[in-house]
């Protein structure tokens, strides 16, 4: 019995349940691939070989016994290391949590296991998901599989690199301001940020709680839909998780192959006129839009007039929430504690000084400042008001169009070291993704082409709240008429 290592998650799952492929064989091949390539790529912070092979063997046994199996039966999946697992370590790529073992599984981890996925390891990220390149990881370096002198994007860079280099069939990431979509774009894979509230954040280590959302990175749009089917749905342990009465999750595979008729695509003027938009990225996205026109879509000019405030608004809200969320790392409750504190205040100060990296410290300071008395009204409260205006811009746009399309990132993956000493330039690489989190709407990045030197370029599609079904269908229309998701990097 052989498993075609290059198939999609859906194909592998179907082969496993029909007894045409073995889950153990698929997992073994994945671990061989990791052994062969991950020294160079650095996608994983830890792997879970023994546990994964045991799970896979159990799945094969249940297939032989004719028992029912879940929708991800035998599919090797990787998860970002800011998702709590009661097996293995959960580090958030931070020295402060380097030896942390979570006492429970995140909701999405429970869902994956209930679906019979085989969790193979935990992937690298920017420390506490703060960053756009994976260079802020306190525990490892991840490179881009298409060009190892370049970054994989961030913060879910490990998950994106693992999917791109076929070291897993699909992965989970988290997205606060673009951390699923931007690395998906840089690594030439599909990355979906669901609507805020669609997927429970229970067990996701918090960064910016009003922005964070978990979602899949996958080889194909179909696999992203399959993963969303498994992880979406209400969870009483996350008070922002939507109930079925509000917006029930659907079967995202059901109508996926049905193209949308009379599709109206909004082209955001501010996104195409932005400074710093790379000409090759622009022409690739304009070509992709022609593909949609050939499929009968109509392009409509849209203005989102408050977009110019998105970066400032995001970095006020995200850092304010982060400064509060990260107060819990005090040297007492979790993780690292300084070796010889002078007194109890020093336990706090020195544990944090030793445990957090420079970007995390910068954000805690920015956020504390924005929340401090005297500045709260001028910065934080103002940012919340602008956030509402940004939301309003999107609501108005979606009265006229079905979706909005733009590049996922203004430029192809940049060189390692190129932006790390210039945080403001680094923050600009999120210019097209962060407003989406401020608004809460769903968005997907799909491969839309390649630069002259074979670097992937991603296209971002956005729809209104809780319409992931439509979003995925629009993405699938493009994928079905192009071959960009079939390409993979030469390792
Ligand atoms: N790059 C953005 C930041 O650093 C977004 C990160 C994310 O989505 N987690 O905040």
């Amino acid at each position: 019995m052989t498993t075609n290592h290059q198939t999609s998650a859906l194909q592998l799952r179907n082969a496993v349940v029909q007894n045409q492929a073995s889950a153990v064989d698929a997992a073994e091949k994945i671990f061989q691939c990791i052994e062969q390539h991950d020294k160079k790529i650095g996608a994983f912070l830890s792997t879970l070989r023994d546990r994964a092979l045991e799970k896979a063997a159990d799945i094969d046994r249940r297939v032989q016994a004719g028992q029912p199996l879940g929708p991800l039966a035998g599919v090797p999946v990787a998860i970002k290391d800011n998702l709590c697992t009661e097996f293995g370590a959960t580090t958030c790529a931070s020295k402060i949590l380097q030896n942390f073992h979570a006492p429970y599984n995140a909701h999405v981890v429970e869902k994956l296991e209930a679906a019979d996925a085989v969790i193979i390891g935990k992937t690298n990220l920017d420390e506490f998901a703060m960053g756009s390149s994976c260079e802020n990881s306190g525990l490892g370096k991840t490179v881009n599989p298409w060009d190892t002198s370049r970054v994989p994007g961030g913060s879910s860079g490990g998950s994106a690199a693992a999917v791109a280099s076929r070291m897993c069939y699909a992965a989970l990431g988290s997205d606060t301001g673009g951390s699923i979509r931007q690395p998906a774009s840089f690594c030439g894979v599909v990355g979906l940020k669901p609507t805020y509230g669609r997927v429970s954040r229970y067990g996701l280590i918090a960064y910016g709680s009003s922005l964070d959302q978990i979602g899949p990175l996958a080889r194909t749009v179909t696999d992203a839909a399959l993963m969303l089917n498994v992880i979406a749905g209400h969870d009483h342990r996350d008070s922002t998780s939507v109930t079925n009465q509000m917006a029930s999750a659907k079967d995202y595979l059901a109508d996926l192959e049905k193209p949308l008729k009379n599709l109206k695509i909004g082209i955001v003027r501010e996104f195409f006129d932005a400074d710093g938009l790379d000409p090759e990225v622009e022409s690739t996205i304009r070509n992709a839009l022609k593909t949609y026109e050939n499929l009968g879509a109509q392009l409509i000019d849209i203005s989102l007039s408050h977009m110019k405030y998105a970066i400032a608004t995001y970095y006020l809200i995200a850092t304010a929430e982060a400064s509060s969320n990260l107060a819990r790392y005090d040297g007492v409750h979790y993780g690292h504690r300084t070796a010889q504190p002078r007194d109890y205040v020093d336990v706090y100060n020195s544990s944090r000084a030793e445990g957090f990296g420079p970007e995390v410290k910068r954000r805690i300071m920015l956020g504390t400042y924005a929340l401090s008395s005297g500045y709260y009204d001028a910065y934080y409260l103002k940012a919340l008001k602008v956030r509402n205006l940004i939301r309003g811009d999107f609501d108005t746009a979606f009265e006229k169009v079905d979706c909005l399309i733009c590049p996922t990132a203004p430029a192809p993956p940049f060189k390692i070291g190129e932006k790390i000493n210039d945080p403001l330039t680094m923050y600009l690489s999120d210019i097209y993704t962060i407003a989406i989190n401020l608004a809460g709407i769903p968005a997907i990045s799909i491969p839309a082409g390649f630069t002259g030197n074979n670097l992937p370029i991603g296209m971002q599609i956005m729809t209104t709240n809780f319409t992931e079904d439509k979003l995925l269908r629009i993405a699938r229309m493009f994928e079905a008429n192009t071959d960009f998701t079939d390409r993979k990097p030469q390792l």
Side-chain angles (χ1 to χ4, degrees):
M1 216 169 351
T2 56
T3 306
N4 179 359
H5 191 201
Q6 308 302 345
T7 50
S8 72
L10 184 64
Q11 288 165 333
L12 174 64
R13 185 265 170 195
N14 288 341
V16 167
V17 298
Q18 286 157 20
N19 201 12
Q20 287 157 4
S22 129
V24 169
D25 186 38
E28 292 275 20
K29 286 210 168 83
I30 284 292
F31 284 110
Q32 273 164 23
C33 183
I34 293 174
E35 205 143 290
Q36 208 177 338
H37 300 298
D38 205 40
K39 269 191 202 68
K40 187 164 82 183
I41 305 296
F44 287 91
L45 288 175
S46 54
T47 49
L48 299 155
R49 189 190 168 90
D50 292 349
R51 187 177 186 278
L53 289 173
E54 238 169 70
K55 287 262 167 198
D58 181 53
I59 289 160
D60 285 342
R61 248 191 318 271
R62 283 161 53 206
V63 172
Q64 298 305 329
Q67 289 171 5
L69 283 129
L72 286 174
V75 176
V77 171
I79 56 181
K80 187 175 179 176
D81 204 18
N82 60 352
L83 290 164
C84 287
T85 46
E86 59 188 7
F87 43 90
T90 301
T91 69
C92 244
S94 179
K95 293 204 168 62
I96 214 158
L97 286 178
Q98 195 163 9
N99 300 311
F100 176 63
H101 288 255
Y104 61 90
N105 283 330
H107 178 76
V108 290
V109 172
E110 289 175 356
K111 288 275 197 174
L112 287 180
E113 300 234 291
D116 293 319
V118 175
I119 297 177
I120 52 148
K122 315 255 330 240
T123 55
N124 198 16
L125 62 149
D126 288 292
E127 184 178 1
F128 284 99
M130 297 174 185
S132 313
S133 67
C134 250
E135 291 164 290
N136 294 334
S137 169
L139 300 180
K141 178 174 162 180
T142 306
V143 300
N144 192 309
W146 294 87
D147 175 347
T148 55
S149 70
R150 292 175 191 271
V151 302
S155 63
S156 313
S159 287
V163 174
S165 46
R166 305 302 192 248
M167 295 191 285
C168 61
Y169 278 76
L172 289 182
S174 67
D175 191 312
T176 308
S179 275
I180 291 175
R181 291 159 286 154
Q182 187 255 25
S185 166
F186 279 13
C187 291
V189 301
V190 175
L192 169 68
K193 184 203 88 76
T195 314
Y196 184 78
R198 172 59 85 212
V199 176
S200 165
R201 293 178 293 110
Y202 177 78
L204 166 68
I205 295 181
Y207 163 17
S209 311
S210 77
L211 303 155
D212 297 341
Q213 186 57 196
I214 301 165
L217 293 110
R219 297 180 187 180
T220 64
V221 174
T222 307
D223 282 356
L226 172 67
M227 291 284 283
L228 185 63
N229 271 356
V230 169
I231 62 172
H234 178 62
D235 170 27
H236 66 91
R237 296 167 299 185
D238 171 1
S239 60
T240 61
S241 144
V242 288
T243 59
N244 289 348
Q245 289 92 318
M246 284 164 74
S248 61
K250 302 202 169 102
D251 176 0
Y252 298 102
L253 288 169
D255 293 324
L256 195 59
E257 297 301 329
K258 286 193 201 143
L260 282 130
K261 298 218 173 70
N262 308 319
L263 180 66
K264 290 202 182 93
I265 300 176
I267 309 302
V268 184
R269 204 179 306 152
E270 289 78 6
F271 285 171
F272 282 90
D273 292 346
D275 286 344
L277 175 55
D278 178 277
E280 249 182 322
V281 172
E282 176 167 3
S283 62
T284 301
I285 303 304
R286 293 212 186 268
N287 270 337
L289 290 167
K290 286 203 191 97
T291 304
Y292 277 110
E293 281 187 302
N294 293 338
L295 295 168
Q298 188 191 345
L299 306 187
I300 295 167
D301 181 56
I302 291 283
S303 170
L304 301 175
S305 56
H306 297 95
M307 266 330 104
K308 53 180 174 291
Y309 306 117
I311 294 238
T313 307
Y314 170 84
Y315 276 98
L316 281 165
I317 294 174
T319 58
E321 293 183 9
S323 72
S324 158
N325 277 327
L326 271 59
R328 73 189 67 171
Y329 305 103
D330 54 7
V332 179
H333 289 94
Y334 310 91
H336 174 74
R337 179 180 303 167
T338 191
Q340 284 173 320
R342 283 190 308 278
D343 51 35
Y344 75 91
V345 177
D346 191 41
V347 174
Y348 190 80
N349 288 345
S350 294
S351 301
R352 287 166 71 83
E354 291 160 15
F356 288 138
E359 184 62 26
V360 174
K361 286 177 183 159
R362 178 181 295 124
R363 303 220 181 175
I364 292 173
M365 284 191 281
L366 281 171
T368 306
Y369 182 80
L371 288 176
S372 57
S373 93
Y375 296 105
Y376 180 93
D377 289 357
Y379 293 111
Y380 183 67
L381 206 59
K382 184 85 53 68
L384 292 183
K385 289 178 182 163
V386 180
R387 181 179 192 173
N388 260 336
L389 296 173
I390 291 173
R391 274 201 191 115
D393 278 357
F394 281 107
D395 287 346
T396 314
F398 290 126
E399 283 167 14
K400 296 190 208 111
V401 294
D402 296 292
C403 68
L404 299 167
I405 291 186
C406 70
T408 306
F414 45 89
K415 290 266 186 192
I416 292 168
E418 193 180 316
K419 296 183 199 259
I420 193 70
N421 295 320
D422 185 354
L424 282 183
T425 324
M426 186 74 94
Y427 295 174
L428 285 175
S429 56
D430 306 321
I431 190 152
Y432 299 130
T433 50
I434 55 176
I436 282 77
N437 301 67
L438 291 169
I441 59 174
I444 194 167
S445 177
I446 58 172
F450 288 82
T451 64
N453 53 353
N454 205 32
L455 295 171
I457 295 173
M459 164 165 69
Q460 178 174 239
I461 312 169
M462 302 146 257
T463 56
T464 194
N465 283 328
F466 303 111
T467 54
E468 287 87 354
D469 48 339
K470 186 164 154 187
L471 178 66
L472 286 157
R473 278 171 70 188
I474 297 170
R476 177 67 193 138
M477 277 170 78
F478 182 78
E479 186 185 56
N481 285 281
T482 53
D483 65 356
F484 302 117
T485 39
D486 299 340
R487 298 204 205 166
K488 49 181 192 292
Q490 295 298 323
L491 295 174

